[in-house]
Amino acid sequence: RVGTQGRPRALRRDLRRRGLGQLPVRRAPQGALREAGGGPEEVSGGGRPRRVIARKAAPAPSACRRSAVMSADAPPAAKRGRTEEPAATANLPAAVRALEFYCGVGGLHYSLQRARPDGDARVVGAFDINPNACDVYEHNFGTRPIANSLYAVPAARLDKFNSNLWLMSPPCQPFTRQGSQRDKADARAESFLRLLDLLPSLKNKPSHVLVENVVGFETSETRETMLETLCLNGFEFREFILSPRMFGVPYSRPRYFCVAKTKGLKWADGKDEEKNADADGNAGPVQPGRPPVRRSPPRSCLSHPKHWVPRGYEDDLERADPTEATVPRPRREDGQTAAQAAAVAKARHELSSGGDPLGVSPGSVTATYGVASLRGFLEPGSDDVDSSSLWSEHAVPIAELRKAKLSVDAVLPNDRKCNCFTKSYGKFTKGTGSFLAEKRFDFKAWDGDEESEVRGDVAKENEKEKTHPPRVRYFSPREVANIHSFPATFAFPERITTAQRFALLGNSLSVACVAPLLEYLLNDTEEA
């Protein structure tokens, strides 16, 4: 028989079956099919002879496959970058069912575990396209993220997860100060904008959302699109710019956060907070009078430094002003450098606060915080410069110090601040993060000489002693993980190189910042 397009119907059917991994229709004895391992499927009708469909025999599950089978108490299984979706959420408790987007090595997952330690929260799915990040995530959580581009994920697939919490840390390159700041025109922002476009069409929309990105996102067009989408879909939101130093961790890594929940759910700070709604109380397009971006920790029991400072160092907190999060940063104008934009922002901030950079203008920091020293976050034996392998294994080459001597940030174990670690840490020295030095040294005044022995009188030797740099090393990957407040159980697979570990941690986030926000977001009971 021939179809309407002149091609045999059987041929078209066979092509479809081949696309589904099935064999074409054939007439064969039923016994022969059993011997081949395929089960018979009868197709009847119209008085025609019975035809039997031969299917490929299903292979026996491998040990890896068996270990990935899901249970009601386990996270989704994974195989070749795909999560077993349909049955993943059916047996989970009707509590917190989280979906991770851009999951990386699992910082969002660890934050959720800290915010809900009683086990009533589950991650029912995770997405990331970085194979190294997926390997580390699977190594620590036993389930492999889905390695599909979020730009191509349909709404029906997201609905199958039936998640009520979305955790998102989209690419930051379109918004960074040192980048091109192309914002929505950057291809790396497309997947996040695509998720925002899908939100109205979902049957199972999340009731809670958390978004993390770099400082600078708060002045972007993407952020405006995000807030408009949230309001039009019945969400109320709060925005924060937080740094780990606010939670006692000696780490300068200010980041933008937005937390949102569906209208009608209560907030822990209740009526004290201005709502982002119109005069009638209806959520709509972003209003000019929306709440300012907060620059202080949320109302959460996890905001206290005792949760993030290593045991034995809780009583050694020093009052400090985390000024890196106090100044709102405007969008850089055309032809304006990052330094010029920062100077303009600081001048505007001081003017609005009456000349006091720590004044009471909206969104400014009005309090100081107790910050611990770096010593509690270092690996054991790091003080022994001569015998510890850390100083030889992670030594910074003298040539690299010479090239970046004007921008080297060398800190000591007793210091209470180190700069943000980027994905290029360990590869470059300029602007990638802080280094650990055996003693205090002014690299800007260094003449670049690397000779350790000086001939001449005592005066020249003393002068040389002042200009010769001390031993300097990178923080180890374990120490960087500690500073990001990752648990002691976090580990890398052996095949992940040191450079890859630094890159993955540089793209991660601070659990000390995210966990209090999640506890604050998921607290739907208004407190007095």
Side-chain angles (χ1 to χ4, degrees):
R1 301 176 61 185
V2 179
T4 58
Q5 298 181 3
R7 301 183 65 186
R9 290 181 180 177
L11 176 60
R12 295 203 308 272
R13 180 178 60 242
D14 290 348
L15 291 175
R16 287 198 302 270
R17 293 188 180 281
R18 188 177 297 111
L20 297 175
Q22 299 175 345
L23 296 177
V25 176
R26 68 178 67 172
R27 291 186 177 90
Q30 185 170 338
L33 288 173
R34 287 200 183 101
E35 292 177 3
E41 181 177 327
E42 298 182 358
V43 181
S44 61
R48 290 177 294 173
R50 287 198 312 174
R51 293 177 296 175
V52 181
I53 300 174
R55 289 192 173 92
K56 289 181 179 179
S62 63
C64 178
R65 177 66 172 173
R66 289 194 299 270
S67 65
V69 174
M70 261 195 177
S71 66
D73 299 324
K79 181 181 180 182
R80 296 180 183 175
R82 304 183 68 86
T83 302
E84 302 293 337
E85 301 162 10
T89 59
N91 297 325
L92 292 179
V96 178
R97 300 180 301 278
L99 194 56
E100 281 185 280
F101 301 97
Y102 321 97
C103 64
V105 297
L108 292 168
H109 197 144
Y110 283 127
S111 300
L112 182 61
Q113 289 180 346
R114 291 297 300 268
R116 283 291 180 268
D118 51 1
D120 68 341
R122 295 287 189 274
V123 173
V124 296
F127 289 85
D128 205 286
I129 59 174
N130 185 320
N132 292 329
C134 292
D135 287 346
V136 178
Y137 190 101
E138 182 179 16
H139 183 75
N140 287 279
F141 300 106
T143 177
R144 189 171 184 84
I146 303 170
N148 294 148
S149 172
L150 291 172
Y151 186 78
V153 174
R157 189 178 189 188
L158 297 180
D159 273 326
K160 290 181 180 180
F161 288 102
N162 193 26
S163 61
N164 53 15
L165 171 63
W166 277 17
L167 304 174
M168 296 187 282
S169 180
C172 63
Q173 292 89 344
F175 320 104
T176 54
R177 290 176 294 167
Q178 299 176 344
S180 59
Q181 295 187 334
R182 298 183 61 202
D183 203 343
K184 297 173 72 172
D186 196 310
R188 289 166 290 191
E190 290 181 349
S191 61
F192 181 63
L193 294 171
R194 165 70 174 168
L195 290 175
L196 296 178
D197 289 340
L198 289 180
L199 189 60
S201 62
L202 293 178
K203 296 180 181 179
N204 300 316
K205 296 181 182 178
S207 57
H208 299 74
V209 175
L210 180 141
V211 179
E212 181 266 354
N213 215 286
V214 295
V215 173
F217 183 87
E218 77 279 7
T219 61
S220 67
E221 296 178 7
T222 302
R223 176 245 193 172
E224 295 297 325
T225 301
M226 176 190 72
L227 296 185
E228 290 178 3
T229 302
L230 290 174
C231 289
L232 290 172
N233 285 273
F235 285 88
E236 293 180 348
F237 62 85
R238 307 284 191 269
E239 296 177 283
F240 295 82
I241 289 183
L242 303 175
S243 176
R245 278 164 57 82
M246 294 178 175
F247 305 91
V249 181
Y251 186 34
S252 175
R253 190 185 179 94
R255 288 295 184 267
Y256 166 89
F257 299 93
C258 177
V259 290
K261 62 175 69 176
T262 53
K263 185 180 178 182
L265 297 177
K266 296 180 179 180
W267 294 84
D269 41 22
K271 299 178 181 180
D272 295 335
E273 177 64 38
E274 180 185 0
K275 301 294 188 296
N276 51 291
D278 58 25
D280 298 326
N282 300 316
V286 178
Q287 302 297 318
R290 64 176 175 231
V293 178
R294 296 183 182 186
R295 290 173 169 81
S296 57
R299 181 180 293 184
S300 167
C301 62
L302 294 178
S303 292
H304 197 283
K306 68 180 181 181
H307 297 285
W308 311 109
V309 176
R311 184 173 300 177
Y313 294 87
E314 310 96 315
D315 299 330
D316 185 30
L317 303 183
E318 185 177 286
R319 308 300 288 182
D321 296 316
T323 56
E324 66 269 9
T326 63
V327 179
R329 180 175 294 133
R331 182 177 178 82
R332 191 194 306 179
E333 302 294 338
D334 292 339
Q336 192 178 46
T337 66
Q340 291 172 338
V344 171
K346 184 175 181 180
R348 290 177 181 174
H349 181 65
E350 292 181 356
L351 181 63
S352 65
S353 58
D356 180 7
L358 290 178
V360 293
S361 61
S364 66
V365 172
T366 58
T368 57
Y369 306 90
V371 181
S373 68
L374 286 165
R375 187 176 300 278
F377 298 84
L378 303 179
E379 290 196 64
S382 60
D383 285 339
D384 194 347
V385 179
D386 295 323
S387 61
S388 175
S389 61
L390 292 170
W391 289 87
S392 57
E393 182 179 352
H394 300 290
V396 180
I398 194 72
E400 294 295 327
L401 293 175
R402 187 187 301 108
K403 287 191 297 185
K405 65 178 183 177
L406 296 180
S407 58
V408 170
D409 180 56
V411 298
L412 303 181
N414 289 329
D415 287 346
R416 299 175 188 271
K417 178 183 176 181
C418 66
N419 286 331
C420 178
F421 300 106
T422 71
K423 65 178 183 180
S424 297
Y425 191 69
K427 295 171 60 178
F428 306 103
T429 54
K430 184 177 180 179
T432 61
S434 298
F435 310 100
L436 199 64
E438 62 176 333
K439 63 181 180 180
R440 191 75 63 191
F441 184 79
D442 185 4
F443 282 90
K444 293 183 179 180
W446 177 40
D447 60 6
D449 194 348
E450 60 181 296
E451 294 294 334
S452 59
E453 183 178 352
V454 180
R455 298 183 183 275
D457 54 23
V458 177
K460 290 185 178 180
E461 289 184 8
N462 290 338
E463 181 181 357
K464 188 64 180 181
E465 180 66 25
K466 294 179 182 179
T467 60
H468 181 68
R471 278 177 285 189
V472 179
R473 71 170 176 89
Y474 295 100
F475 285 80
S476 70
R478 178 66 256 177
E479 291 168 340
V480 176
N482 293 341
I483 293 172
H484 279 88
S485 300
F486 278 38
T489 55
F490 172 77
F492 288 97
E494 292 185 2
R495 78 159 195 86
I496 303 296
T497 66
T498 299
Q500 291 171 340
R501 298 180 186 195
F502 282 137
L504 293 171
L505 290 171
N507 284 331
S508 188
L509 47 78
S510 170
V511 175
C513 289
V514 180
L517 279 172
L518 280 176
E519 201 280 330
Y520 166 78
L521 172 65
L522 297 175
N523 183 1
D524 296 332
T525 303
E526 183 178 344
E527 297 180 354

